[in-house]
Amino acid sequence: MSPTLPLSRFSVSNQHAQGPVLNPRDASFQPGGAPVEAQREQWTQPGDVFSVLLLLGGDVVNRALAQLAGSRGWKGRVVPVGFSFGWVAYATAALVSSVGEGKLMPPGPDCSSIVINAHNGYVRQNSSWMVGRIIRDFEYWMGQKTKQALDEILRERWERDKEEKRKDALRSLTEQRIMGKSTGSGSDADWNGANTKGRPTHSTFQLNSPDVAKGGIRRWLDHRAGTASIPQLEEQQQHQIVDQIVEKQVPYPTRASLCISIYRSVSDPSTSRTPGHPKPDLVYYSGFLIALLQLGISAIPLGLTGDWNILLVTTFGILFSLATGSLPQWRKEKFACRTSATKNVILTRGNGAQHAILVKGCGVGIDFEDLAAADTNAFSTASITTRVSLVLLAALWVFLLISAAGLSDNTWFLLAVGGIGILQNAAVAGFPRRPGAFGVHLEFEDVVCKQNVMGSLMEIERRVPRAGRSMLGVLFPGKLFPREEKEWDVLDAKAEVTKSEEEVRKAGERFERATEEEVDEEDVGKLLKKKDAAERRERDAKRALEKAERVFAEMGKSG
C-alpha cells in the first residue's frame, strides 16, 4: 500500500499553487473611496467644464449681436453683448462665414415675410433679418388705435355670430310650437316627461345639432326655466333664456380679417432720430449692467484668496466681445439700403396674415425694398479688413479658451459669469423690440380694419392710392365678383386722377420757376409743352373716372 499524504498538507500546497481564495461574503461594502472623492472634488472645483461650455451656443450669440450691432454713431461702436458660453464657437463660425458667404448677420430672417411696392405692386421675398424682426414683433409695438380697431372688429363679429345663432334658435322654437299645436304633441304632460321615449336628454342637447328639429330646444328651455312646460313661459322669458344659451355656445373670435396700419418715416437730426441711429432701450442697456455684474463676481476670488485668474479671463472675454460687435461690417450689412426713400411699401407675412404695415417713405425713410434684397446685395460683402479682424479675434478667443481650460481653482465663479452671460444673450436674441431700437423711426398715422379682406383693401385704396391695388393680387388672389371689378375700376381711375393732378402741380411749379429765373426761351418752351401734356392726361383721367363711376352706378341700379 502506498503512503497517504496528509490532507492539510495537500490543501496548503494547493492554496499556494492557485493563490488565495476570497469569499465575497467576507468583504463588506464601504461607500467612499476614489470615485466619491473624484465626484466631490469635481463639484467643489469643476475642472475643464468652462472650456467645453465655451463651444456651445454660438447661434444665440449671433442673434444677440444682430439685435444690437450695426448702428451708426457711438452706439454702433459699443455693442454690449455679454461675455458667455458660445463665443468661441461663434468666432470660428463667423470666420468661416466671412470667408465663404462674406456675411456676419444671420443667414436669413426668422420670420417669413414679403415687401410690396405700394406704387407698382412688385413683390419681394424678404431676406433681411432686421425687417423680419420688425414684422415678427409688430403685435408688440403696434399702436393703441390698432389694438382698439381689432377689438372692435372682433366684438362686432362675435355679436353678429351670436345674433345669427339666436335667430336660428328662435326660428326652431317657433317651428316646434307650430308643430305642437297642429299635432297636439305639445301638451304639458308630453313635455313633463310622460311621453319622452326616444327624445334627447338635456345633457346631450346642442343648439346646432339635429336635436333642434326634434323639439330638444323646448325641453332644454323648460329645464333652464324650471317650469312645467314651455307654453307657461312668456315670449320675453324665452328670449332671455335663448340669449343665455347662445352666450355660452358662441365662442369669442380670436382673429380678425386684415388690419392695415399706416406709418410714415420720420427724421429729426436734433434728437438723433435719423435712419440708422437707434433709440436705446432696456435690451441695449442690459449689456452694461451684466458686464458690471460679471466683473463684480469675478473679483470675489481676488478679494478672498488673491486669485486674479477669473477676473483676467472675464475682463478679456468682455473686451473681445465688444471688439467683435464693433466691426463696421455689421452696419454695412444691417443697413445695406438707401436712406432717403420716397416710395410707399407694405410689410406683411403674406396671404392670410392678420396684419399689413404700410410705410410711407416721405423722402427720409430707409428703402425697405433694398433691405429685402440684402442677401443678394454685393455691397454688403465682407471686406478684407473685416476678414483679417475676424481671423485675429478667432485666434484670441482660442487663446482665451486655452487659458480657461487650465483653471482649477474658484471655477464656480467662472461658471457663474458664463451662466449670467448666456442668459443675457438668450434674452437679447429673442426679446421683441420697437423699430426705433433698430434705427428705423416710424410714426403712426391711421389704421384700416374692416370685417373682410376686400373691405380693408378698398378702404386703404381710397386713403392711399395704389396701395390697395398693389396688395390685391397677394392678399386676395381669388376671382372678383362683377360688382367688385367695377368698383376697383372706379378706384383705379381715382388713383390715376390723383397722379395726373400731382404731375400738373409739379410741371406748373417748374414752369413758374423757369420764368422767374429768366431761363432760355427754348427751355421754357419745353417746360410749357410738358405742362400742357400733363394737363391733357389729367383731363383724360377725369373723363375715365366719370365713365367708370357711371358704369358702377348703373350696375348698382340694375342689381
Side-chain angles (χ1 to χ4, degrees):
M1 174 182 273
S2 59
T4 304
L5 295 176
L7 183 60
S8 59
R9 184 177 178 183
F10 174 79
S11 301
V12 172
S13 301
N14 193 27
Q15 289 178 3
H16 283 293
Q18 297 182 1
V21 178
L22 299 178
N23 188 352
R25 297 181 180 179
D26 294 340
S28 60
F29 174 74
Q30 297 180 356
V36 175
E37 290 298 327
Q39 290 294 327
R40 183 182 295 113
E41 183 179 357
Q42 176 68 11
W43 283 100
T44 304
Q45 296 290 345
D48 203 24
V49 175
F50 187 79
S51 58
V52 175
L53 293 176
L54 277 174
L55 302 176
L56 305 176
D59 54 341
V60 177
V61 175
N62 188 12
R63 281 166 171 73
L65 283 169
Q67 280 267 58
L68 300 180
S71 304
R72 296 178 178 178
W74 67 270
K75 302 181 189 68
R77 292 188 291 269
V78 181
V79 182
V81 176
F83 167 56
S84 66
F85 311 134
W87 268 101
V88 176
Y90 168 72
T92 54
L95 176 61
V96 173
S97 178
S98 66
V99 173
E101 301 174 357
K103 307 287 184 182
L104 288 180
M105 292 289 289
D110 50 7
C111 172
S112 178
S113 54
I114 57 176
V115 177
I116 307 173
N117 188 308
H119 295 285
N120 54 32
Y122 188 79
V123 181
R124 291 181 184 270
Q125 189 68 33
N126 174 49
S127 61
S128 170
W129 189 88
M130 183 178 68
V131 175
R133 276 301 175 97
I134 291 175
I135 297 174
R136 189 204 72 171
D137 300 337
F138 177 70
E139 293 189 356
Y140 168 77
W141 59 268
M142 65 182 179
Q144 188 63 30
K145 290 186 177 180
T146 301
K147 297 178 182 179
Q148 293 175 357
L150 281 174
D151 291 341
E152 291 176 1
I153 291 297
L154 292 176
R155 181 162 292 277
E156 289 177 6
R157 177 174 294 181
W158 188 43
E159 295 295 337
R160 188 182 65 227
D161 293 344
K162 289 195 299 182
E163 184 63 24
E164 293 177 357
K165 183 68 72 173
R166 181 176 179 273
K167 290 180 180 179
D168 292 341
L170 292 175
R171 188 184 307 112
S172 300
L173 179 61
T174 303
E175 292 174 357
Q176 292 300 321
R177 185 182 296 121
I178 295 173
M179 292 174 60
K181 290 181 179 180
S182 61
T183 61
S185 61
S187 63
D188 292 351
D190 182 27
W191 295 109
N192 279 331
N195 185 18
T196 58
K197 184 178 180 181
R199 296 188 182 274
T201 61
H202 304 318
S203 59
T204 61
F205 170 74
Q206 296 292 332
L207 283 178
N208 56 356
S209 70
D211 297 338
V212 173
K214 300 178 182 179
I217 186 159
R218 296 181 62 188
R219 186 185 306 102
W220 218 82
L221 287 169
D222 287 347
H223 174 70
R224 291 296 303 270
T227 59
S229 105
I230 194 67
Q232 297 180 5
L233 290 176
E234 297 180 359
E235 184 176 357
Q236 183 179 1
Q237 293 176 314
Q238 297 174 12
H239 289 190
Q240 290 177 352
I241 297 176
V242 169
D243 290 341
Q244 295 176 9
I245 300 173
V246 170
E247 190 80 18
K248 292 184 177 181
Q249 287 196 345
V250 178
Y252 191 82
T254 58
R255 184 180 178 85
S257 57
L258 176 64
C259 186
I260 306 172
S261 302
I262 307 173
Y263 289 83
R264 67 172 179 270
S265 301
V266 294
S267 179
D268 186 4
S270 62
T271 58
S272 298
R273 292 183 66 189
T274 56
H277 288 83
K279 181 181 180 181
D281 56 356
L282 181 61
V283 175
Y284 180 82
Y285 288 122
S286 67
F288 296 107
L289 299 176
I290 293 299
L292 292 175
L293 180 60
Q294 288 177 323
L295 290 174
I297 293 175
S298 62
I300 294 176
L302 178 62
L304 294 178
T305 62
D307 184 5
W308 47 266
N309 285 314
I310 309 299
L311 180 60
L312 179 69
V313 171
T314 303
T315 302
F316 277 102
I318 294 174
L319 292 177
F320 294 164
S321 62
L322 291 174
T324 305
S326 65
L327 293 175
Q329 178 65 22
W330 289 106
R331 180 171 64 255
K332 190 178 179 181
E333 292 184 31
K334 204 169 186 179
F335 290 94
C337 64
R338 291 164 286 184
T339 56
S340 57
T342 59
K343 68 181 75 171
N344 300 338
V345 297
I346 298 106
L347 313 178
T348 181
R349 297 194 181 200
N351 186 19
Q354 170 76 85
H355 294 281
I357 311 169
L358 173 62
V359 181
K360 297 180 179 180
C362 300
V364 295
I366 64 172
D367 195 321
F368 283 95
E369 282 194 298
D370 289 349
L371 283 179
D375 229 19
T376 59
N377 196 339
F379 175 75
S380 60
T381 304
S383 62
I384 298 298
T385 304
T386 299
R387 296 178 182 182
V388 172
S389 301
L390 287 173
V391 170
L392 294 176
L393 285 170
L396 291 174
W397 279 112
V398 172
F399 293 155
L400 186 68
L401 175 65
I402 296 173
S403 300
L407 299 179
S408 57
D409 297 327
N410 299 310
T411 49
W412 272 117
F413 294 98
L414 194 57
L415 290 175
V417 168
I420 293 173
I422 196 64
L423 290 177
Q424 191 261 353
N425 292 169
V428 169
F431 200 82
R433 306 180 76 196
R434 299 181 181 276
F438 291 106
V440 181
H441 302 287
L442 305 175
E443 190 171 293
F444 178 81
E445 276 194 354
D446 204 355
V447 60
V448 173
C449 193
K450 299 297 182 181
Q451 286 290 351
N452 52 63
V453 175
M454 183 59 68
S456 297
L457 293 177
M458 287 185 173
E459 182 62 26
I460 196 66
E461 178 68 17
R462 296 185 184 97
R463 302 189 189 187
V464 184
R466 299 295 183 189
R469 170 61 76 176
S470 299
M471 289 186 280
L472 182 62
V474 177
L475 303 183
F476 197 90
K479 186 178 180 180
L480 303 179
F481 291 112
R483 181 179 177 82
E484 291 175 339
E485 292 179 352
K486 298 303 179 184
E487 190 169 358
W488 275 109
D489 291 341
V490 173
L491 294 174
D492 291 341
K494 288 182 178 180
E496 193 64 31
V497 169
T498 303
K499 179 182 177 182
S500 60
E501 289 176 347
E502 183 67 17
E503 291 177 353
V504 169
R505 184 186 64 81
K506 292 181 178 180
E509 291 178 353
R510 287 194 294 266
F511 178 74
E512 292 177 1
R513 190 164 52 249
T515 55
E516 292 175 358
E517 296 176 357
E518 297 182 357
V519 183
D520 294 340
E521 293 183 0
E522 183 178 355
D523 295 336
V524 173
K526 292 180 180 179
L527 292 174
L528 181 59
K529 290 181 179 179
K530 291 182 179 179
K531 181 174 177 293
D532 293 339
E535 291 175 349
R536 285 196 301 272
R537 286 194 296 271
E538 181 185 13
R539 290 192 294 269
D540 295 340
K542 289 182 178 180
R543 283 196 293 267
L545 174 59
E546 293 175 358
K547 180 180 178 181
E549 289 178 338
R550 186 169 57 254
V551 172
F552 181 69
E554 292 175 356
M555 176 176 287
K557 292 179 181 179
S558 61

